[in-house]
Amino acid sequence: VARESTAAFAPGRVNLIGEHTDYNRGLALPMAIEEGITVRAQVHSGGSPHERRIHASALELGEEDEFQIEHPQRAGGWRAFVRGVACELTSTGFALPAADVQISGRLPRGVGLSSSAALEVALCLALLDLAPAGSGSLERREIAQLCSRVESDWVGARTGLLDQLASLYGAAGSAMVIDFLTLEIELVPLTLEGWRLAVLDSGERHVHASSGYNRRRAECERACQLLGVASLRDATAERASDLPHPLDRRVRHVIEENQRVRDTVAALAAGDLPAVGELLTRSHESLRDCFEVCTPGVDAVVAGVLRAGATGARMVGGGFGGSVLALFKPGHPLPAAAREVRPGPGAQLVA
Ligand code: GLA
């Protein structure tokens, strides 16, 4: 018997290190955070069986949306994610019922904490739970792929799987190393011994679709063609240095960033938090100078927080604005604007 009502929670994420590696089949070390998005959904009995509709409310925004499940029209903002998830689930074969959906959560939007992935994943879990028994199921990796299709086909950002996998596979107290070549995910205990991670909003908003994100992806694809490799996972530093500018720098970032992920995992295992801080700062410099996705405003926040005594800091997420992640040693006060982040559980159905 199909369920009449359900609720799902999906967390945002912070990527400790491994930026712009996901769509290059590299490595990343994200964690789900404690804050996220909750989607409640109830089957809606009214309406005609020929025109099943979803009515959605974004509670914090005080905004609503309503659309036909079979033929959703395009829309902007948060509506694109909701319509996109419903449409992708329908085309995957799930006969979604007419439903009322309420979206809530205190995850700030547009600051690099992946509120959009949290929304997609929570909605996907909730709607799947309402789909009639027998319509099948999706594995978590398939849910991540479906949500990523929503980003590219409905929102126009050709993002990778980092944000959705982090939200789906998070675990309290752990980060996870994701290998985007095999999609293997391994939890990495985040034993901080009093050290603290915090994010600072740069105040500069980023909009992936209109930013250089897609351009960076295209540059990486071009570099693969020139190098004759299937992905930058197979690129070597020697060959990369022969590429024309700026492709040489782009590839160098990806190769070195993968190595920084491995080094961070080793430093965490050894309890060497100063080394983790150093790797964060190296990652930032590479994103700024080689991958060129950092804005002056975000760079100034990194410089400021390092001056204020952080052990390491870097821009997080796709870049072109967004947030900064910083590591502070035990007892060091956090800057007033910083919000501490802790690794929280992954997406799940909730009561
Ligand atoms: C954004 C994208 C991710 C990933 C990061 C950069 O967050 O959504 O897929 O590419 O940028 O690491």
Side-chain angles (χ1 to χ4, degrees):
V1 183
R3 288 163 59 86
E4 289 294 307
S5 77
T6 190
F9 167 82
R13 65 95 187 90
V14 159
N15 191 15
L16 288 181
I17 200 157
E19 217 70 91
H20 285 276
T21 49
D22 61 348
Y23 55 85
N24 288 308
R25 300 200 195 165
L27 304 170
L29 184 64
M31 65 188 208
I33 59 175
E34 289 170 334
E35 298 79 17
I37 302 276
T38 299
V39 170
R40 297 185 183 283
Q42 306 85 34
V43 174
H44 177 92
S45 46
S48 117
H50 306 295
E51 212 202 86
R52 285 173 297 122
R53 301 178 82 81
I54 285 184
H55 181 265
S57 324
L59 299 183
E60 267 79 11
L61 299 176
E63 291 177 6
E64 315 236 325
D65 191 24
E66 189 172 305
F67 58 93
Q68 220 183 314
I69 295 175
E70 302 286 346
H71 308 287
Q73 306 290 311
R74 300 266 152 180
W78 64 275
R79 294 178 178 87
F81 298 105
V82 176
R83 292 177 180 212
V85 167
C87 184
E88 289 294 328
L89 281 170
T90 307
S91 31
T92 310
F94 293 93
L96 301 181
D100 289 322
V101 165
Q102 300 89 40
I103 301 159
S104 61
R106 276 170 310 160
L107 191 58
R109 300 182 311 144
V111 302
L113 294 177
S114 276
S115 59
S116 54
L119 169 57
E120 293 151 17
V121 168
L123 185 68
C124 209
L125 290 183
L127 292 181
L128 279 170
D129 200 36
L130 292 187
S135 38
S137 62
L138 287 180
E139 286 179 15
R140 291 202 159 211
R141 282 177 183 76
E142 295 173 313
I143 293 177
Q145 278 153 348
L146 183 144
C147 293
S148 164
R149 284 205 297 281
V150 172
E151 299 258 353
S152 64
D153 298 354
W154 287 77
V155 185
R158 298 183 56 216
T159 56
L161 293 174
L162 169 72
D163 309 337
Q164 292 84 3
L165 288 176
S167 181
L168 283 157
Y169 286 90
S174 288
M176 72 199 84
V177 58
I178 307 179
D179 183 332
F180 292 93
L181 187 60
T182 58
L183 289 191
E184 264 176 86
I185 299 169
E186 199 183 315
L187 292 181
V188 173
L190 199 60
T191 321
L192 292 175
E193 310 279 2
W195 290 70
R196 289 189 291 174
L197 287 162
V199 291
L200 295 99
D201 181 3
S202 71
E204 293 195 339
R205 288 290 157 269
H206 66 161
V207 181
H208 280 321
S210 62
S211 74
Y213 185 93
N214 290 347
R215 220 170 332 123
R216 288 294 174 279
R217 243 193 115 137
E219 286 170 349
C220 291
E221 283 162 8
R222 180 75 189 126
C224 286
Q225 283 170 357
L226 293 174
L227 293 171
V229 293
S231 75
L232 291 187
R233 188 63 173 272
D234 298 325
T236 60
E238 298 73 47
R239 303 252 346 262
S241 58
D242 294 336
L243 288 168
H245 306 310
L247 300 186
D248 52 348
R249 296 198 294 276
R250 306 290 188 256
V251 177
R252 184 172 150 212
H253 165 76
V254 173
I255 294 173
E256 293 179 356
E257 187 77 352
N258 286 336
Q259 188 55 42
R260 278 187 287 269
V261 172
R262 297 185 189 97
D263 293 347
T264 305
V265 172
L268 283 172
D272 188 352
L273 275 303
V276 172
E278 181 68 23
L279 287 157
L280 294 183
T281 307
R282 292 285 95 79
S283 168
H284 176 72
E285 290 162 356
S286 178
L287 286 159
R288 181 190 61 200
D289 303 334
C290 290
F291 217 69
E292 297 181 277
V293 289
C294 188
T295 55
V298 173
D299 193 41
V301 174
V302 168
V305 78
L306 288 173
R307 269 199 310 277
T311 303
R314 68 179 200 83
M315 56 151 278
V316 278
F320 306 100
S323 292
V324 165
L325 174 69
L327 178 67
F328 295 90
K329 60 175 170 285
H332 196 286
L334 299 186
R339 103 182 8 227
E340 188 176 354
V341 285
R342 294 188 199 85
Q348 58 198 298
L349 293 174
V350 291

